[in-house]
Amino acid sequence: MRTPRTAATLAAGTILLPLMFGTGTAYASGLDGNLVLIGGALNENAQILQRIVADADPDGAGPARARIAVVTAASVPAASPTEASDPTQSNAAANGLYYADLFARYGADTYLVPIDIETNYAGDPYVPGNADSTTVADQVRASTGVFFSGGDQSRYVQTLLDCAPAPGDAFTDCADTAVLAAVRAVLDAGGVVAGSSAGLTIQNGSDMVTAGESYESWRYGAYAGTGIGSNDLTYSPFGGFGFFTEGLLDSHFGTWGRQARMVALADATAHDLVVGVDETTALVYDRATRRGEVIGVNGVSVLDLYGATISGDRAEGVRWHYLVNGDRIDFATLAVTAGAAERSGVGTGSGPNVKRDIWDSPSGSGGTYSMVTQAKALVKSSANVAQGTTFERNPRYRTHLDRVSATRWWTTGGFESLEVSFIPE
């Protein structure tokens, strides 16, 4: 049994720096800058883009403009000058052009950071060596915001961190390159660092997830590495850039049924909090106050493992908060402020039927948002329990969702303190 978190002890702990949650470090106020953590599939969402530009604007309504350094090194390199110059293509250079145009539409200037994991053709401006270029670092430092695009977060580790060699790229010892130090300076000066998909995940501290599906996570456990070509749960012990240290981060969260995989990783690495962001959704995190706000289309999950019982291949009593547009959370106490009127107790109508493929297996037929959909149906119904099973068998895992006395919900789709359990059959 994990020791339960209490509001009183956390409130008292916020005067200290650092405040330890398991082996993950959550820092109290004293840091500056905002993070805009996007769960992937930005889809040119106006609310999220406007927030990034507004947070990067140095003088509000004044004459100065936001200047955003765009980092695309998580993408595959361009194979030719033609591919690099075509913003409809998907490669590091082309993606930079796409985001430059996108941010320009919202009134921001951009600097395209010319860093990639390898050089693919003669004259390629996107080269690994630029990560330690004084000229490139100075351009980043002159920006008021930084945006990390999607792809593979392990490429960000390999391009923007100097890491000691490790088997399977399971890095445990890394240092900032000149460009990453410049990014850190922008944030510490009160700027904004935003990222989508891999650009969100790389902002994690230690034990950053690198790959894995929920079923394999519980069937086989977690191990350090990049997990290339496998559904196994893998992680980087050193982690990412360490901008967000309240808990483990994950993207495409409810969309791809990643709740179970991150509970497994948190337990394996002794972390007690998971923050998962859905697609076309962002968590805006103020580092000075340790408060977060949800914007966008879907939701942000906060999974609290304090007080849960996790033994072997079963987990019981994980607390799940699901926040939607306009909802807020104070990470010092985990107090949730809903953007709509909260309700306690049951709703109306019968509870949902057992959901098949509730973990949204890639080989199953459960679709997307299966566990989120099941939870939303439960809290607004007259039932106190809902269930779902995995597509895979041998063993098949059953998910239990339980309404408890602390459960609250609101009509916009959010809820707090729903209990989640994963039990093999």
Side-chain angles (χ1 to χ4, degrees):
M1 172 78 74
R2 294 164 180 263
T3 303
R5 178 194 285 111
T6 67
T9 57
L10 281 174
T14 55
I15 64 173
L16 301 175
L17 187 108
L19 172 68
M20 298 302 294
F21 294 161
T23 60
T25 304
Y27 292 97
S29 60
L31 301 174
D32 289 320
N34 282 359
L35 305 178
V36 181
L37 303 167
I38 309 161
L42 175 59
N43 291 337
E44 302 189 2
N45 181 273
Q47 184 184 20
I48 297 174
L49 288 164
Q50 286 169 351
R51 183 59 177 267
I52 295 170
V53 174
D55 283 358
D57 190 327
D59 60 359
R65 288 163 59 96
R67 185 178 193 265
I68 298 173
V70 177
V71 189
T72 54
S75 301
V76 298
S80 67
T82 301
E83 286 190 6
S85 62
D86 183 355
T88 66
Q89 297 292 314
S90 181
N91 60 68
N95 289 347
L97 297 174
Y98 166 79
Y99 283 111
D101 176 72
L102 185 59
F103 283 117
R105 288 185 238 161
Y106 288 86
D109 297 326
T110 53
Y111 169 65
L112 305 186
V113 182
I115 298 172
D116 211 336
I117 199 166
E118 61 187 13
T119 302
N120 266 13
Y121 59 89
D124 186 357
Y126 278 69
V127 296
N130 279 341
D132 280 309
S133 163
T134 301
T135 300
V136 175
D138 287 345
Q139 288 285 346
V140 172
R141 193 174 285 104
S143 302
T144 56
V146 181
F147 177 81
F148 291 97
S149 70
D152 184 342
Q153 56 265 31
S154 294
R155 291 196 183 104
Y156 280 135
V157 174
Q158 295 172 46
T159 53
L160 291 172
L161 285 166
D162 286 326
C163 299
D169 291 338
F171 300 117
T172 58
D173 185 15
C174 303
D176 287 359
T177 59
V179 166
L180 183 55
V183 174
R184 208 174 296 279
V186 171
L187 185 60
D188 289 343
V192 59
V193 171
S196 180
S197 188
L200 168 152
T201 309
I202 194 59
Q203 299 188 47
N204 210 147
S206 61
D207 304 317
M208 177 187 72
V209 66
T210 55
E213 297 295 337
S214 282
Y215 182 80
E216 285 77 8
S217 300
W218 282 92
R219 184 72 174 86
Y220 304 114
Y223 58 91
T226 57
I228 296 174
S230 171
N231 287 334
D232 289 359
L233 176 60
T234 57
Y235 66 98
S236 172
F238 177 84
F241 300 154
F243 298 149
F244 183 89
T245 55
E246 301 286 4
L248 295 179
L249 279 173
D250 203 2
S251 61
H252 305 278
F253 198 67
T255 321
W256 293 357
R258 287 178 162 174
Q259 296 92 338
R261 92 163 180 174
M262 291 306 289
V263 170
L265 180 59
D267 182 62
T269 56
H271 291 266
D272 294 288
L273 207 68
V274 171
V275 178
V277 185
D278 295 346
E279 293 181 354
T280 325
T281 308
L283 174 69
V284 182
Y285 174 73
D286 185 323
R287 297 204 307 162
T289 64
R290 297 181 61 200
R291 295 189 177 100
E293 173 191 0
V294 178
I295 60 175
V297 176
N298 295 297
V300 172
S301 292
V302 177
L303 301 177
D304 184 359
L305 279 66
Y306 274 88
T309 301
I310 302 179
S311 178
D313 58 355
R314 64 190 292 140
E316 298 180 75
V318 176
R319 289 291 178 102
W320 181 12
H321 312 305
Y322 187 76
L323 313 182
V324 296
N325 188 43
D327 296 342
R328 299 172 184 269
I329 183 168
D330 184 341
F331 282 99
T333 61
L334 290 192
V336 172
T337 302
E342 295 187 22
R343 301 185 181 189
S344 60
V346 300
T348 59
S350 59
N353 296 326
V354 174
K355 180 73 175 177
R356 307 299 178 185
D357 195 13
I358 196 168
W359 291 359
D360 291 323
S361 167
S363 56
S365 57
T368 57
Y369 291 103
S370 292
M371 196 180 300
V372 171
T373 300
Q374 193 76 337
K376 287 183 175 183
L378 169 63
V379 296
K380 70 180 182 181
S381 76
S382 61
N384 288 316
V385 179
Q387 297 184 27
T389 60
T390 57
F391 171 79
E392 300 87 349
R393 298 173 179 268
N394 299 319
R396 180 173 68 179
Y397 289 87
R398 184 172 293 268
T399 295
H400 296 256
L401 304 175
D402 292 284
R403 189 196 307 269
V404 295
S405 60
T407 303
R408 300 290 184 271
W409 57 282
W410 39 100
T411 56
T412 50
F415 56 82
E416 63 175 311
S417 295
L418 194 66
E419 283 202 353
V420 184
S421 300
F422 307 130
I423 300 174
E425 296 182 344

